[in-house]
Amino acid sequence: MVRRNRSFAALNMIGMPREVTFRRPERPVMQPVSLDDGATRVMTDLDRVAALTTYPDASLHEAEQRMISGGVRLLLVTDAEEQVVGVITATDILGEKPVTFLQRYGGKREDLRVADVMTPHAELQALRLHDVEHSRVGDVVATLRQAGRQHALVVDDSGGESRIRGILSSTQIARQLGHPVEGDGRAHSFAELEAALVAAPA
């Protein structure tokens, strides 16, 4: 096979404009749901939305600011190889964990790191994607209620290796059920979910 000679033309370079910005992809619009809708409608799908992460040695202030800028209440904690070593939530940062740690070990709050208050990998539990795909919003609500948790991770183990595929949030579920979410993001989301259940139509 004879390869034809090909010529390529260099593109013109320009100076960077003085005022320049960029566009972030919009977060998917959360659609209203009922308790009988499929559970995947309330799952943040990490195949479609980039997971927000932090590192164990990041400060609590850095983690909190990342949550605020990303509009989330949970960050995956990863190591240098992008392996998940834990999770940290807004409640971990703003609740009793920092106080308890300082009472036990001393120090100042500004010195605390994500590793000091996160939930480590060994203590994490998750739902299987297959089970979530075959369940309803109400089933997820019952699961969070029974576990007394505001978040649940969803793991896809169907391809030979396990990866976190989604995140379920009681705050997001409350919003999608049509209950207005108030508060500062500390520890209200489970109470909001309970209120949403009372208000949700049968």
Side-chain angles (χ1 to χ4, degrees):
M1 179 178 174
V2 178
R3 300 189 62 180
R4 296 181 179 179
N5 292 328
R6 294 181 296 171
S7 61
F8 299 96
L11 304 179
N12 292 327
M13 301 289 288
I14 65 170
M16 182 64 68
R18 177 174 295 181
E19 294 184 6
V20 63
T21 185
F22 65 98
R23 177 166 296 185
R24 295 182 185 275
E26 294 183 5
R27 293 181 64 83
V29 177
M30 294 183 295
Q31 300 295 331
V33 298
S34 73
L35 294 173
D36 289 317
D37 283 331
T40 55
R41 292 190 61 184
V42 295
M43 183 184 82
T44 298
D45 188 342
L46 299 185
D47 273 3
R48 300 183 178 183
V49 179
L52 294 183
T53 64
T54 187
Y55 293 104
D57 59 353
S59 70
L60 295 192
H61 177 73
E62 290 170 332
E64 182 181 8
Q65 290 305 304
R66 185 149 178 77
M67 289 182 190
I68 292 172
S69 64
V72 300
R73 295 184 180 182
L74 177 146
L75 300 176
L76 301 179
V77 184
T78 62
D79 60 18
E81 284 75 42
E82 292 292 294
Q83 293 293 310
V84 175
V85 297
V87 300
I88 186 167
T89 68
T91 302
D92 293 333
I93 295 174
L94 301 169
E96 296 299 319
K97 279 189 174 182
V99 176
T100 301
F101 185 92
L102 293 175
Q103 288 175 342
R104 181 175 299 175
Y105 299 106
K108 299 178 180 179
R109 183 181 176 85
E110 55 265 30
D111 296 329
L112 292 180
R113 302 290 149 184
V114 166
D116 298 328
V117 301
M118 73 180 190
T119 301
H121 180 279
E123 297 176 17
L124 290 178
Q125 291 183 310
L127 301 173
R128 296 180 67 236
L129 177 62
H130 176 271
D131 294 336
V132 174
E133 289 176 333
H134 294 83
S135 66
R136 298 169 298 166
V137 172
D139 300 322
V140 172
V141 169
T143 302
L144 293 174
R145 175 192 280 163
Q146 178 176 296
R149 294 179 178 172
Q150 297 173 15
H151 297 90
L153 301 179
V154 180
V155 170
D156 182 359
D157 56 4
S158 63
E161 62 178 9
S162 297
R163 64 188 178 95
I164 297 175
R165 170 66 184 273
I167 300 172
L168 295 163
S169 161
S170 59
T171 300
Q172 178 173 320
I173 295 171
R175 287 195 181 103
Q176 290 185 252
L177 285 171
H179 184 75
V181 176
E182 305 290 344
D184 57 8
R186 298 195 179 196
H188 306 301
S189 56
F190 196 74
E192 288 156 358
L193 180 56
E194 293 285 355
L197 282 176
V198 173

